[in-house]
Amino acid sequence: MKKQSVMDMDVRSSALGNGVLKKPVTNRLYQTSTMAALLDAVYDGETTLDELLQHGNFGLGTFNALDGEMIVTDGVVRQFRAEVTIDSPKTKETFEELVDSLLGNPNLFGAIRFTGEFQRVDTRTVFCQCKPYPHMLEVVKKQPTCTMENVMGTMIGFRTPVYMQGVNVAGYHLHFLSEDSKRGGHVTEYRLVRGQLEVASISDLEIQLPRTEQFAKADLNPESLSEAIRIAEGG
Ligand SMILES: [Zn+2]
């Protein structure tokens, strides 16, 4: 059997990108940016995963905003993010403080996933509405709420920068799903016992705006925007 060098192996599909893949040049080292730049906090690059895989199928690296360790084997990119074990109870406030410290830069979005044991989770959901649709603040007055105690599950969501209020919900927006997938909803209050926390900062944002008549006529900059979001989202 013909012995192959690592760089002779065929590039297969990327787990995170689906660009047009070319066979890379063999026995050639490709590098983007430098270690010295990384040491000086240059954590964002310009190379996409698809572009990276045009140059090889084996390698090491990191991601924009230093978001985990990159391992590339057989043309498949894998991302290993920081995972933190929480082994002492946390309130909403102390949990958010911990996530803030892990995410660092408050001007980037953050993605959050906590899996483990909850002493208590308060959630709400919303009823499906009929046209003509009532205002969101009318809808949430009738929202069904649920309190779960001593439950295992996953809480996921985002931390949105303050300057994005209105485009999204500034601050934390988390949803809960019980381990048996039977209960869940928008989280309004919680207390964690223990579990695994994963966070990632996000520096790419894509928003698609509706081209509907309702969106064209909507008042998207009311004076009471922040207060309305606080009431609607229970923040
Ligand atoms: Zn929600």
Side-chain angles (χ1 to χ4, degrees):
M1 197 172 83
K2 186 174 170 259
K3 196 172 173 226
Q4 290 185 309
S5 73
V6 170
M7 296 302 283
D8 273 336
M9 295 162 93
D10 287 339
V11 173
R12 293 178 199 159
S13 64
S14 154
L16 298 171
N18 294 304
V20 179
L21 302 173
K22 289 187 297 194
K23 193 174 172 69
V25 179
T26 54
N27 302 323
R28 172 172 168 260
L29 178 71
Y30 173 83
Q31 179 168 328
T32 175
S33 195
T34 68
M35 187 62 208
L38 204 60
L39 287 174
D40 200 33
V42 182
Y43 297 148
D44 288 331
E46 297 169 321
T47 310
T48 66
L49 291 176
D50 286 339
E51 286 163 2
L52 192 67
L53 290 170
Q54 307 279 331
H55 297 278
N57 57 11
F58 167 95
L60 305 177
T62 186
F63 297 82
N64 278 354
L66 209 62
D67 185 16
E69 298 286 343
M70 180 189 291
I71 298 175
V72 185
T73 53
D74 296 347
V76 176
V77 179
R78 292 191 175 83
Q79 185 172 22
F80 290 84
R81 291 192 167 116
E83 193 174 278
V84 175
T85 299
I86 293 180
D87 52 12
S88 61
K90 297 241 175 294
T91 62
K92 185 170 184 268
E93 287 69 32
T94 55
F95 178 75
E96 290 180 2
E97 275 172 23
L98 173 65
V99 175
D100 281 343
S101 70
L102 292 169
L103 285 173
N105 189 344
N107 291 326
L108 293 179
F109 281 79
I112 300 126
R113 176 166 58 194
F114 172 81
T115 307
E117 187 181 341
F118 294 75
Q119 188 186 85
R120 178 195 168 115
V121 196
D122 294 343
T123 63
R124 74 107 208 268
T125 186
V126 280
F127 287 117
C128 184
Q129 301 296 310
C130 300
K131 287 183 178 175
Y133 291 142
H135 193 275
M136 181 79 169
L137 296 187
E138 292 303 314
V139 173
V140 298
K141 279 182 191 166
K142 297 168 195 154
Q143 62 189 357
T145 57
C146 169
T147 294
M148 288 162 266
E149 290 182 335
N150 303 317
V151 62
M152 299 292 290
T154 302
M155 185 166 71
I156 67 158
F158 296 94
R159 187 198 67 181
T160 296
V162 174
Y163 64 86
M164 295 300 287
Q165 180 75 307
V167 173
N168 208 301
V169 182
Y172 284 83
H173 181 189
L174 299 163
H175 286 190
F176 174 78
L177 180 67
S178 65
E179 196 175 35
D180 60 9
S181 299
K182 289 186 176 157
R183 291 176 292 172
H186 174 96
V187 174
T188 53
E189 184 60 69
Y190 56 89
R191 189 175 167 87
L192 314 173
V193 182
R194 63 180 68 84
Q196 295 299 118
L197 168 65
E198 297 159 277
V199 300
S201 59
I202 297 170
S203 51
D204 271 328
L205 177 66
E206 184 177 332
I207 299 175
Q208 190 172 6
L209 300 175
R211 291 176 178 271
T212 61
E213 197 183 333
Q214 290 95 325
F215 189 76
K217 290 179 177 166
D219 177 8
L220 302 180
N221 195 25
E223 270 181 35
S224 56
L225 179 69
S226 285
E227 179 63 6
I229 290 174
R230 192 190 64 74
I231 294 168
E233 298 299 321

PDB file of all heavy atoms in Angstrom, residues 43-66:
ATOM      1  N   TYR A  43      -6.841  39.039  18.230  1.00  0.00           N
ATOM      2  CA  TYR A  43      -7.612  37.799  18.292  1.00  0.00           C
ATOM      3  C   TYR A  43      -8.562  37.619  17.111  1.00  0.00           C
ATOM      4  O   TYR A  43      -9.195  36.578  16.990  1.00  0.00           O
ATOM      5  CB  TYR A  43      -8.439  37.748  19.587  1.00  0.00           C
ATOM      6  CG  TYR A  43      -7.619  37.731  20.856  1.00  0.00           C
ATOM      7  CD1 TYR A  43      -8.105  38.317  22.017  1.00  0.00           C
ATOM      8  CD2 TYR A  43      -6.369  37.118  20.896  1.00  0.00           C
ATOM      9  CE1 TYR A  43      -7.370  38.304  23.186  1.00  0.00           C
ATOM     10  CE2 TYR A  43      -5.622  37.107  22.059  1.00  0.00           C
ATOM     11  CZ  TYR A  43      -6.126  37.701  23.204  1.00  0.00           C
ATOM     12  OH  TYR A  43      -5.394  37.689  24.356  1.00  0.00           O
ATOM     13  N   ASP A  44      -8.724  38.658  16.278  1.00  0.00           N
ATOM     14  CA  ASP A  44      -9.618  38.523  15.131  1.00  0.00           C
ATOM     15  C   ASP A  44      -8.808  38.466  13.847  1.00  0.00           C
ATOM     16  O   ASP A  44      -7.892  39.268  13.649  1.00  0.00           O
ATOM     17  CB  ASP A  44     -10.600  39.703  15.060  1.00  0.00           C
ATOM     18  CG  ASP A  44     -11.644  39.628  16.160  1.00  0.00           C
ATOM     19  OD1 ASP A  44     -11.960  38.502  16.583  1.00  0.00           O
ATOM     20  OD2 ASP A  44     -12.127  40.686  16.583  1.00  0.00           O
ATOM     21  N   GLY A  45      -9.149  37.527  12.978  1.00  0.00           N
ATOM     22  CA  GLY A  45      -8.464  37.412  11.698  1.00  0.00           C
ATOM     23  C   GLY A  45      -9.426  37.634  10.554  1.00  0.00           C
ATOM     24  O   GLY A  45     -10.581  38.019  10.765  1.00  0.00           O
ATOM     25  N   GLU A  46      -8.945  37.410   9.333  1.00  0.00           N
ATOM     26  CA  GLU A  46      -9.776  37.634   8.150  1.00  0.00           C
ATOM     27  C   GLU A  46     -10.053  36.343   7.400  1.00  0.00           C
ATOM     28  O   GLU A  46     -10.802  36.331   6.435  1.00  0.00           O
ATOM     29  CB  GLU A  46      -9.066  38.601   7.201  1.00  0.00           C
ATOM     30  CG  GLU A  46      -8.847  39.967   7.796  1.00  0.00           C
ATOM     31  CD  GLU A  46      -7.926  40.817   6.951  1.00  0.00           C
ATOM     32  OE1 GLU A  46      -6.940  40.264   6.415  1.00  0.00           O
ATOM     33  OE2 GLU A  46      -8.200  42.002   6.814  1.00  0.00           O
ATOM     34  N   THR A  47      -9.435  35.249   7.839  1.00  0.00           N
ATOM     35  CA  THR A  47      -9.543  33.994   7.098  1.00  0.00           C
ATOM     36  C   THR A  47     -10.771  33.210   7.543  1.00  0.00           C
ATOM     37  O   THR A  47     -10.951  32.962   8.729  1.00  0.00           O
ATOM     38  CB  THR A  47      -8.283  33.136   7.360  1.00  0.00           C
ATOM     39  OG1 THR A  47      -7.139  33.956   7.146  1.00  0.00           O
ATOM     40  CG2 THR A  47      -8.229  31.931   6.438  1.00  0.00           C
ATOM     41  N   THR A  48     -11.613  32.832   6.575  1.00  0.00           N
ATOM     42  CA  THR A  48     -12.770  32.007   6.920  1.00  0.00           C
ATOM     43  C   THR A  48     -12.335  30.544   6.983  1.00  0.00           C
ATOM     44  O   THR A  48     -11.258  30.177   6.494  1.00  0.00           O
ATOM     45  CB  THR A  48     -13.885  32.140   5.869  1.00  0.00           C
ATOM     46  OG1 THR A  48     -13.396  31.575   4.646  1.00  0.00           O
ATOM     47  CG2 THR A  48     -14.289  33.595   5.650  1.00  0.00           C
ATOM     48  N   LEU A  49     -13.198  29.708   7.556  1.00  0.00           N
ATOM     49  CA  LEU A  49     -12.863  28.284   7.637  1.00  0.00           C
ATOM     50  C   LEU A  49     -12.771  27.672   6.242  1.00  0.00           C
ATOM     51  O   LEU A  49     -11.914  26.831   5.975  1.00  0.00           O
ATOM     52  CB  LEU A  49     -13.916  27.541   8.467  1.00  0.00           C
ATOM     53  CG  LEU A  49     -13.923  27.883   9.955  1.00  0.00           C
ATOM     54  CD1 LEU A  49     -15.065  27.168  10.642  1.00  0.00           C
ATOM     55  CD2 LEU A  49     -12.599  27.505  10.600  1.00  0.00           C
ATOM     56  N   ASP A  50     -13.651  28.101   5.342  1.00  0.00           N
ATOM     57  CA  ASP A  50     -13.611  27.575   3.975  1.00  0.00           C
ATOM     58  C   ASP A  50     -12.274  27.902   3.310  1.00  0.00           C
ATOM     59  O   ASP A  50     -11.663  27.057   2.660  1.00  0.00           O
ATOM     60  CB  ASP A  50     -14.761  28.157   3.142  1.00  0.00           C
ATOM     61  CG  ASP A  50     -16.094  27.535   3.519  1.00  0.00           C
ATOM     62  OD1 ASP A  50     -16.077  26.431   4.090  1.00  0.00           O
ATOM     63  OD2 ASP A  50     -17.128  28.146   3.249  1.00  0.00           O
ATOM     64  N   GLU A  51     -11.822  29.158   3.502  1.00  0.00           N
ATOM     65  CA  GLU A  51     -10.527  29.558   2.924  1.00  0.00           C
ATOM     66  C   GLU A  51      -9.391  28.752   3.539  1.00  0.00           C
ATOM     67  O   GLU A  51      -8.480  28.303   2.853  1.00  0.00           O
ATOM     68  CB  GLU A  51     -10.280  31.055   3.161  1.00  0.00           C
ATOM     69  CG  GLU A  51     -11.118  31.950   2.276  1.00  0.00           C
ATOM     70  CD  GLU A  51     -11.176  33.388   2.776  1.00  0.00           C
ATOM     71  OE1 GLU A  51     -10.527  33.710   3.792  1.00  0.00           O
ATOM     72  OE2 GLU A  51     -11.896  34.174   2.156  1.00  0.00           O
ATOM     73  N   LEU A  52      -9.470  28.571   4.849  1.00  0.00           N
ATOM     74  CA  LEU A  52      -8.422  27.834   5.558  1.00  0.00           C
ATOM     75  C   LEU A  52      -8.278  26.421   4.995  1.00  0.00           C
ATOM     76  O   LEU A  52      -7.171  25.934   4.756  1.00  0.00           O
ATOM     77  CB  LEU A  52      -8.787  27.779   7.045  1.00  0.00           C
ATOM     78  CG  LEU A  52      -7.716  27.305   8.013  1.00  0.00           C
ATOM     79  CD1 LEU A  52      -6.574  28.308   8.064  1.00  0.00           C
ATOM     80  CD2 LEU A  52      -8.309  27.127   9.395  1.00  0.00           C
ATOM     81  N   LEU A  53      -9.425  25.787   4.741  1.00  0.00           N
ATOM     82  CA  LEU A  53      -9.403  24.395   4.270  1.00  0.00           C
ATOM     83  C   LEU A  53      -8.964  24.267   2.810  1.00  0.00           C
ATOM     84  O   LEU A  53      -8.721  23.163   2.335  1.00  0.00           O
ATOM     85  CB  LEU A  53     -10.779  23.749   4.480  1.00  0.00           C
ATOM     86  CG  LEU A  53     -11.128  23.497   5.953  1.00  0.00           C
ATOM     87  CD1 LEU A  53     -12.583  23.095   6.097  1.00  0.00           C
ATOM     88  CD2 LEU A  53     -10.220  22.433   6.563  1.00  0.00           C
ATOM     89  N   GLN A  54      -8.867  25.401   2.103  1.00  0.00           N
ATOM     90  CA  GLN A  54      -8.303  25.353   0.752  1.00  0.00           C
ATOM     91  C   GLN A  54      -6.804  25.068   0.826  1.00  0.00           C
ATOM     92  O   GLN A  54      -6.193  24.633  -0.136  1.00  0.00           O
ATOM     93  CB  GLN A  54      -8.476  26.706   0.027  1.00  0.00           C
ATOM     94  CG  GLN A  54      -9.881  27.247  -0.006  1.00  0.00           C
ATOM     95  CD  GLN A  54     -10.727  26.617  -1.092  1.00  0.00           C
ATOM     96  OE1 GLN A  54     -10.200  26.210  -2.114  1.00  0.00           O
ATOM     97  NE2 GLN A  54     -12.008  26.530  -0.863  1.00  0.00           N
ATOM     98  N   HIS A  55      -6.208  25.360   1.989  1.00  0.00           N
ATOM     99  CA  HIS A  55      -4.748  25.290   2.116  1.00  0.00           C
ATOM    100  C   HIS A  55      -4.246  24.035   2.804  1.00  0.00           C
ATOM    101  O   HIS A  55      -3.041  23.818   2.871  1.00  0.00           O
ATOM    102  CB  HIS A  55      -4.246  26.522   2.883  1.00  0.00           C
ATOM    103  CG  HIS A  55      -4.526  27.805   2.176  1.00  0.00           C
ATOM    104  ND1 HIS A  55      -3.733  28.282   1.160  1.00  0.00           N
ATOM    105  CD2 HIS A  55      -5.538  28.690   2.314  1.00  0.00           C
ATOM    106  CE1 HIS A  55      -4.233  29.423   0.713  1.00  0.00           C
ATOM    107  NE2 HIS A  55      -5.330  29.689   1.399  1.00  0.00           N
ATOM    108  N   GLY A  56      -5.137  23.243   3.370  1.00  0.00           N
ATOM    109  CA  GLY A  56      -4.662  22.047   4.048  1.00  0.00           C
ATOM    110  C   GLY A  56      -5.774  21.339   4.789  1.00  0.00           C
ATOM    111  O   GLY A  56      -6.902  21.824   4.855  1.00  0.00           O
ATOM    112  N   ASN A  57      -5.428  20.163   5.327  1.00  0.00           N
ATOM    113  CA  ASN A  57      -6.461  19.362   5.994  1.00  0.00           C
ATOM    114  C   ASN A  57      -6.032  18.911   7.385  1.00  0.00           C
ATOM    115  O   ASN A  57      -6.645  18.035   7.985  1.00  0.00           O
ATOM    116  CB  ASN A  57      -6.821  18.149   5.135  1.00  0.00           C
ATOM    117  CG  ASN A  57      -5.604  17.287   4.823  1.00  0.00           C
ATOM    118  OD1 ASN A  57      -4.542  17.474   5.408  1.00  0.00           O
ATOM    119  ND2 ASN A  57      -5.767  16.370   3.897  1.00  0.00           N
ATOM    120  N   PHE A  58      -4.975  19.529   7.898  1.00  0.00           N
ATOM    121  CA  PHE A  58      -4.399  19.119   9.178  1.00  0.00           C
ATOM    122  C   PHE A  58      -3.836  20.364   9.839  1.00  0.00           C
ATOM    123  O   PHE A  58      -3.116  21.128   9.195  1.00  0.00           O
ATOM    124  CB  PHE A  58      -3.280  18.104   8.872  1.00  0.00           C
ATOM    125  CG  PHE A  58      -2.352  17.790  10.007  1.00  0.00           C
ATOM    126  CD1 PHE A  58      -2.595  16.686  10.813  1.00  0.00           C
ATOM    127  CD2 PHE A  58      -1.231  18.570  10.263  1.00  0.00           C
ATOM    128  CE1 PHE A  58      -1.732  16.376  11.852  1.00  0.00           C
ATOM    129  CE2 PHE A  58      -0.364  18.262  11.298  1.00  0.00           C
ATOM    130  CZ  PHE A  58      -0.621  17.160  12.098  1.00  0.00           C
ATOM    131  N   GLY A  59      -4.195  20.623  11.086  1.00  0.00           N
ATOM    132  CA  GLY A  59      -3.627  21.822  11.685  1.00  0.00           C
ATOM    133  C   GLY A  59      -4.172  22.167  13.051  1.00  0.00           C
ATOM    134  O   GLY A  59      -5.053  21.488  13.594  1.00  0.00           O
ATOM    135  N   LEU A  60      -3.605  23.236  13.575  1.00  0.00           N
ATOM    136  CA  LEU A  60      -3.971  23.748  14.894  1.00  0.00           C
ATOM    137  C   LEU A  60      -4.290  25.226  14.778  1.00  0.00           C
ATOM    138  O   LEU A  60      -3.815  25.897  13.869  1.00  0.00           O
ATOM    139  CB  LEU A  60      -2.791  23.614  15.871  1.00  0.00           C
ATOM    140  CG  LEU A  60      -2.164  22.244  16.050  1.00  0.00           C
ATOM    141  CD1 LEU A  60      -0.970  22.359  16.988  1.00  0.00           C
ATOM    142  CD2 LEU A  60      -3.190  21.263  16.599  1.00  0.00           C
ATOM    143  N   GLY A  61      -5.046  25.740  15.729  1.00  0.00           N
ATOM    144  CA  GLY A  61      -5.307  27.173  15.706  1.00  0.00           C
ATOM    145  C   GLY A  61      -6.321  27.575  16.743  1.00  0.00           C
ATOM    146  O   GLY A  61      -6.618  26.829  17.676  1.00  0.00           O
ATOM    147  N   THR A  62      -6.830  28.782  16.552  1.00  0.00           N
ATOM    148  CA  THR A  62      -7.919  29.256  17.389  1.00  0.00           C
ATOM    149  C   THR A  62      -8.903  29.996  16.489  1.00  0.00           C
ATOM    150  O   THR A  62      -8.734  30.004  15.264  1.00  0.00           O
ATOM    151  CB  THR A  62      -7.398  30.135  18.545  1.00  0.00           C
ATOM    152  OG1 THR A  62      -8.494  30.458  19.415  1.00  0.00           O
ATOM    153  CG2 THR A  62      -6.769  31.429  18.039  1.00  0.00           C
ATOM    154  N   PHE A  63      -9.927  30.587  17.081  1.00  0.00           N
ATOM    155  CA  PHE A  63     -10.991  31.230  16.316  1.00  0.00           C
ATOM    156  C   PHE A  63     -11.032  32.722  16.654  1.00  0.00           C
ATOM    157  O   PHE A  63     -10.385  33.168  17.608  1.00  0.00           O
ATOM    158  CB  PHE A  63     -12.341  30.585  16.664  1.00  0.00           C
ATOM    159  CG  PHE A  63     -12.403  29.127  16.296  1.00  0.00           C
ATOM    160  CD1 PHE A  63     -11.866  28.161  17.137  1.00  0.00           C
ATOM    161  CD2 PHE A  63     -12.968  28.718  15.098  1.00  0.00           C
ATOM    162  CE1 PHE A  63     -11.899  26.814  16.802  1.00  0.00           C
ATOM    163  CE2 PHE A  63     -13.008  27.379  14.748  1.00  0.00           C
ATOM    164  CZ  PHE A  63     -12.474  26.424  15.598  1.00  0.00           C
ATOM    165  N   ASN A  64     -11.813  33.493  15.881  1.00  0.00           N
ATOM    166  CA  ASN A  64     -11.970  34.917  16.176  1.00  0.00           C
ATOM    167  C   ASN A  64     -12.372  35.101  17.634  1.00  0.00           C
ATOM    168  O   ASN A  64     -13.144  34.316  18.176  1.00  0.00           O
ATOM    169  CB  ASN A  64     -13.050  35.540  15.279  1.00  0.00           C
ATOM    170  CG  ASN A  64     -12.506  35.893  13.909  1.00  0.00           C
ATOM    171  OD1 ASN A  64     -11.307  35.771  13.655  1.00  0.00           O
ATOM    172  ND2 ASN A  64     -13.384  36.336  13.032  1.00  0.00           N
ATOM    173  N   ALA A  65     -11.839  36.145  18.249  1.00  0.00           N
ATOM    174  CA  ALA A  65     -12.104  36.470  19.652  1.00  0.00           C
ATOM    175  C   ALA A  65     -11.557  35.400  20.597  1.00  0.00           C
ATOM    176  O   ALA A  65     -11.990  35.288  21.736  1.00  0.00           O
ATOM    177  CB  ALA A  65     -13.598  36.702  19.901  1.00  0.00           C
ATOM    178  N   LEU A  66     -10.596  34.608  20.108  1.00  0.00           N
ATOM    179  CA  LEU A  66      -9.944  33.564  20.905  1.00  0.00           C
ATOM    180  C   LEU A  66     -10.972  32.565  21.439  1.00  0.00           C
ATOM    181  O   LEU A  66     -10.920  32.134  22.587  1.00  0.00           O
ATOM    182  CB  LEU A  66      -9.176  34.211  22.071  1.00  0.00           C
ATOM    183  CG  LEU A  66      -7.936  33.474  22.595  1.00  0.00           C
ATOM    184  CD1 LEU A  66      -6.870  33.364  21.516  1.00  0.00           C
ATOM    185  CD2 LEU A  66      -7.366  34.179  23.811  1.00  0.00           C
TER     186      LEU A  66
END
